[in-house]
Amino acid sequence: MPNHVKASPEVRQLLKTLQESFHPHIDQAKIALEFVDSKAYIKDRLNLGKVFKFSKANKLWMPNEAKYDFCISICADVWFSLLNEKQRRAILDLHLTCCQVEYEPNSVVENGKKIVVKDEFGRTEYTDKFKCDDEGCPVWKKAPLDAIAFASNVKRFGVWYDDLMEIKQAIVDHEVSAVEAVNA
């Protein structure tokens, strides 16, 4: 197998279906999907793959009809040998969760100056309006594959692989020990 292979039309359709069903905020994003020849496990952990955001410079070299915003890269061995159909849907959804649009910050005008609104923790508050570039296209960003991404994914697909099962068990164990501490 070559190092990088474009996903089949059926797999790309599955990605599009998940994008439309669970990620309508990125329905305008063009997402490439590839399988790579890499190790199924890295440091004894399942190789979940990666999401790449294409820069404006990257897009200069793409044909007009294929100006992709993101690329999801999945280990071929994981996809074809280790995952069942539900897990395949879950891993695609997990990566779609990392594909995000930037929103306009909420702001107010004070003394003639535009000031960005912050919450009580100093975090910027955002509107529901997409931030757009000079050409009127949404500005995309890649969110990290973190606890928030996994929580969102688990809400839709449940605990679908071993590491998530370990996290679930840790939460259950903590809740049990907290109850035991209160009752002691």
Side-chain angles (χ1 to χ4, degrees), residues 48-174:
L48 296 173
K50 296 178 182 177
V51 174
F52 301 96
K53 178 185 164 287
F54 290 112
S55 69
K56 283 188 175 188
N58 295 136
K59 291 180 182 184
L60 285 174
W61 304 104
M62 294 179 192
N64 284 335
E65 66 277 359
K67 296 242 187 245
Y68 289 104
D69 301 300
F70 297 98
C71 178
I72 296 174
S73 183
I74 296 177
C75 172
D77 283 346
V78 169
W79 183 268
F80 293 106
S81 301
L82 299 178
L83 301 180
N84 62 36
E85 189 60 33
K86 179 184 176 190
Q87 291 170 318
R88 289 175 179 166
R89 292 171 53 86
I91 200 169
L92 289 177
D93 177 80
L94 179 65
H95 290 303
L96 284 170
T97 302
C98 295
C99 302
Q100 296 287 319
V101 65
E102 287 193 32
Y103 290 93
E104 290 286 342
N106 196 6
S107 61
V108 293
V109 177
E110 289 182 13
N111 299 326
K113 289 185 174 182
K114 187 176 179 180
I115 299 172
V116 174
V117 177
K118 306 270 183 171
D119 68 11
E120 65 271 16
F121 300 109
R123 298 175 298 200
T124 301
E125 291 185 6
Y126 292 93
T127 66
D128 59 355
K129 184 179 177 201
F130 290 177
K131 189 177 200 178
C132 294
D133 62 16
D134 297 337
E135 298 162 359
C137 298
V139 176
W140 305 108
K141 67 179 183 177
K142 179 191 164 282
L145 193 56
D146 59 8
I148 294 169
F150 278 105
S152 176
N153 178 254
V154 167
K155 284 179 186 175
R156 290 185 289 277
F157 289 92
V159 178
W160 59 272
Y161 86 104
D162 293 349
D163 288 359
L164 294 175
M165 290 177 205
E166 289 179 29
I167 293 168
K168 179 182 176 184
Q169 188 59 50
I171 293 168
V172 169
D173 292 348
H174 173 74

Side-chain angles (χ1 to χ4, degrees), residues 38-56:
S38 60
K39 295 179 182 176
Y41 288 90
I42 299 173
K43 297 183 181 178
D44 295 326
R45 297 284 182 220
L46 185 66
N47 179 357
L48 296 173
K50 296 178 182 177
V51 174
F52 301 96
K53 178 185 164 287
F54 290 112
S55 69
K56 283 188 175 188

